[in-house]
């Protein structure tokens, strides 16, 4: 099967759009609840560690050659199963967050299953046409979001107060460290996009690391920008009591006395970005399931996956309290486990080894063949039928 390819800028836009849709909604109140005024210290430490780990994962992904290559061992297949479970958890949290936010703020009378079905139908439609289609849509969403998002916060600059930075190191070190772990897990959750690195077509090998710096650097800068707006506008004690601080910040925006409902525009941009994230995740789930079962035609998997994830999020995560508990406290264990299983599922080690007296097809040679070479070399006059594919 021919592997798809994307450009570095398409990967860059995919990374940014996947990075900024979850953590601004769920991380700000988690870290402020833990570290209070030392929120910025936890965030800085977590993001610096996250950048170093993402660099190491990027180095590993550059050495991979094919997204469609199945694991070579049973151990690799088992690791792939657990990595798939990680992707399923990420997809469940993303869908549940989308449904809760839309149902709470905009469509309270619409059943949650209907909202989930609509977003999955759109995401699966994009995934059906492949990663190239998702990547092209991602560029449009990124350009629109980047053009609009940085002009709306200016009206709240007059209400920001830097006094919230004091006192420094008022919280115990263990609480600041716990907040750093929360920020680190939020930073690393999008490592699954590194499985797409083999599909990126680099014109010059020297530009490969520019992709790392620009994608991760700008994504972290965007999050720091939004977290700064939330923290300096509401303060740590008000932020920790908000369920969705980013939505409350959007509602706080005003453009004079004539245009007050700015959050409608921001919600549209956020809905586009999170739908793209769901499309990317369900495409990856389809590809990984196909790798696990050695399937050639993988698009048929989109139908059962869409049906399962229409209802499964409501069975696993029943309300907003469970969603916040998972993201605030369990996420720092789920994400590292997903990274470990990702690395193990990508390890290609051929078995049995040639050093053990076996040929490339895994057939053990006889003693005469080991000394004289292959059967055709030992008896050149004898013809053997071709090995079946």
């Amino acid at each position: 099967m021919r592997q798809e390819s994307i450009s570095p800028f398409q990967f860059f836009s995919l990374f940014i759009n996947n990075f900024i849709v979850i953590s601004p909604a769920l991380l700000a109140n988690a870290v402020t609840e833990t570290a209070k005024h030392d929120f910025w210290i936890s965030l800085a430490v977590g993001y610096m560690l996250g950048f170093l780990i993402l660099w190491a994962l990027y180095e590993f992904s550059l050495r991979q050659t094919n997204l469609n290559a199945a694991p070579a061992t049973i151990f690799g297949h088992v690791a792939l199963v657990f990595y798939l479970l990680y992707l399923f958890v990420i997809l469940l949290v993303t869908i549940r967050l989308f449904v809760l936010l839309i149902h709470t703020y905009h469509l309270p009378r619409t059943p949650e299953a209907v909202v989930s079905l609509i977003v999955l139908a759109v995401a699966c439609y994009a995934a059906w046409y492949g990663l190239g289609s998702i990547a092209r849509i991602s560029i449009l969403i990124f350009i629109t979001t980047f053009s609009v998002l940085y002009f709306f916060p200016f009206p709240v600059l007059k209400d920001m107060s830097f006094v919230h930075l004091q006192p420094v190191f008022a919280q115990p070190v263990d609480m600041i460290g716990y907040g750093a772990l929360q920020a680190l897990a939020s930073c690393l959750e999008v490592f699954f996009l590194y499985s797409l690195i083999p599909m990126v077509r680099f014109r010059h090998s020297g530009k490969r690391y520019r992709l790392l710096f620009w994608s991760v650097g700008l994504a972290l800068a965007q999050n720091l920008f939004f977290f700064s707006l939330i923290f300096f506008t509401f303060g740590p004690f008000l932020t920790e009591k908000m369920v969705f601080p980013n939505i409350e910040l959007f509602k706080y925006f005003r453009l004079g006395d004539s245009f007050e409902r700015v959050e409608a525009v921001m919600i549209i941009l956020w809905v586009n970005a999170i739908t793209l994230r769901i499309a990317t995740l369900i495409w990856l789930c389809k590809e990984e399931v196909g790798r696990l079962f050695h399937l050639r035609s993988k698009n048929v998997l989109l139908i059962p996956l869409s049906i399962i994830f229409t209802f499964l999020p409501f069975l696993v995560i029943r309300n907003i309290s469970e969603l916040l508990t998972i993201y605030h406290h369990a996420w720092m264990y789920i994400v590292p486990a997903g990274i470990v299983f990702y690395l193990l599922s990508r390890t290609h080690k051929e078995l049995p080894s040639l050093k053990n007296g076996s040929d490339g097809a895994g057939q053990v040679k006889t003693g005469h063949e080991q000394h004289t070479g292959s059967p055709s070399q030992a008896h050149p006059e004898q013809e053997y039928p071709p090995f079946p594919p």
Side-chain angles (χ1 to χ4, degrees):
M1 181 179 176
R2 180 177 176 270
Q3 182 172 293
E4 296 186 68
S5 62
I6 57 176
S7 67
F9 186 70
Q10 287 175 334
F11 178 86
F12 167 77
S13 62
L14 275 172
F15 193 94
I16 298 296
N17 287 320
N18 277 268
F19 195 94
I20 65 171
V21 294
I22 298 296
S23 54
L26 297 177
L27 181 63
N29 54 359
V31 182
T32 50
E33 182 181 2
T34 303
K36 299 297 190 293
H37 293 88
D38 296 319
F39 166 89
W40 62 276
I41 301 176
S42 297
L43 203 62
V45 172
Y47 275 3
M48 284 190 293
L49 292 175
F51 182 80
L52 295 177
I53 297 176
L54 287 175
W55 184 316
L57 292 173
Y58 187 79
E59 285 271 4
F60 174 83
S61 300
L62 284 176
R63 301 177 183 179
Q64 305 301 301
T65 57
N66 191 355
L67 179 66
N68 298 316
T73 63
I74 296 178
F75 184 75
H77 282 81
V78 174
L80 181 56
V81 170
F82 285 102
Y83 175 58
L84 263 173
L85 291 177
Y86 171 78
L87 291 178
F88 289 167
V89 171
I90 293 286
L91 186 55
L92 287 174
V93 170
T94 304
I95 295 173
R96 198 66 181 105
L97 173 64
F98 175 85
V99 173
L100 280 170
L101 195 147
I102 296 299
H103 181 75
T104 302
Y105 286 92
H106 301 281
L107 301 173
R109 296 184 180 180
T110 305
E112 292 183 333
V114 175
V115 179
S116 176
L117 179 62
I118 292 173
V119 69
L120 277 169
V122 176
C124 289
Y125 180 77
W128 182 275
Y129 288 97
L131 184 65
S133 175
I134 297 174
R136 287 189 292 271
I137 298 172
S138 177
I139 291 178
L140 296 176
I141 294 175
F142 169 74
I143 293 175
T144 304
T145 304
F146 193 82
S147 302
V148 174
L149 218 54
Y150 286 95
F151 292 98
F152 281 107
F154 287 106
V156 303
L157 294 180
K158 63 180 184 301
D159 299 321
M160 296 174 61
S161 176
F162 294 95
V163 72
H164 298 303
L165 290 173
Q166 299 177 347
V168 180
F169 287 107
Q171 298 300 309
V173 177
D174 58 336
M175 299 303 293
I176 298 176
Y178 195 85
L181 290 177
Q182 292 174 319
L184 175 63
S186 175
C187 175
L188 296 178
E189 68 179 9
V190 295
F191 78 88
F192 56 83
L193 290 174
Y194 281 175
S195 64
L196 305 179
I197 291 295
M199 306 174 64
V200 180
R201 53 182 187 274
F202 296 99
R203 293 184 178 179
H204 304 286
S205 60
K207 295 184 177 180
R208 295 186 302 175
Y209 291 96
R210 296 183 187 179
L211 181 62
L212 170 71
F213 280 104
W214 281 106
S215 57
V216 179
L218 186 58
L220 295 179
Q222 281 188 315
N223 266 15
L224 289 173
F225 176 72
F226 285 112
F227 290 146
S228 299
L229 290 177
I230 294 172
F231 182 77
F232 292 126
T233 302
F234 299 123
F237 299 107
L238 184 58
T239 301
E240 68 175 291
K241 294 178 173 58
M242 295 178 176
V243 180
F244 299 116
N246 60 331
I247 302 300
E248 301 300 330
L249 181 68
F250 294 160
K251 293 169 67 176
Y252 196 72
F253 289 168
R254 296 289 187 274
L255 294 178
D257 298 328
S258 57
F259 189 33
E260 297 183 353
R261 300 305 301 268
V262 180
E263 76 271 13
V265 178
M266 314 299 277
I267 287 295
I268 292 174
L269 298 176
W270 183 81
V271 167
N272 291 334
I274 201 170
T275 304
L276 179 80
R277 177 185 170 108
I278 294 173
T280 306
L281 280 167
I282 204 165
W283 185 88
L284 276 173
C285 289
K286 179 256 297 184
E287 291 293 320
E288 298 298 338
V289 172
R291 287 183 64 229
L292 180 64
F293 294 103
H294 302 266
L295 301 178
R296 291 188 177 182
S297 179
K298 302 174 184 177
N299 276 352
V300 294
L301 296 172
L302 291 173
I303 299 175
L305 285 174
S306 61
I307 295 175
I308 291 172
F309 284 103
T310 299
F311 304 100
L312 188 60
F314 311 108
L315 301 176
V316 178
I317 307 173
R318 291 171 293 182
N319 50 50
I320 185 61
S321 298
E322 293 185 359
L323 176 63
L324 294 177
T325 300
I326 292 173
Y327 198 86
H328 292 181
H329 305 291
W331 215 239
M332 62 184 68
Y333 305 104
I334 294 174
V335 174
I339 292 176
V340 172
F341 292 126
Y342 164 75
L343 296 175
L344 294 176
S345 67
R346 257 61 185 181
T347 302
H348 298 289
K349 188 176 181 180
E350 297 293 338
L351 290 177
S353 174
L354 292 172
K355 297 179 181 179
N356 296 330
S358 61
D359 60 7
Q363 302 293 326
V364 178
K365 297 181 180 180
T366 64
H368 176 73
E369 292 170 357
Q370 291 181 13
H371 291 288
T372 60
S374 63
S376 59
Q377 294 173 344
H379 304 282
E381 71 280 2
Q382 184 178 359
E383 294 184 359
Y384 286 83
F387 193 79

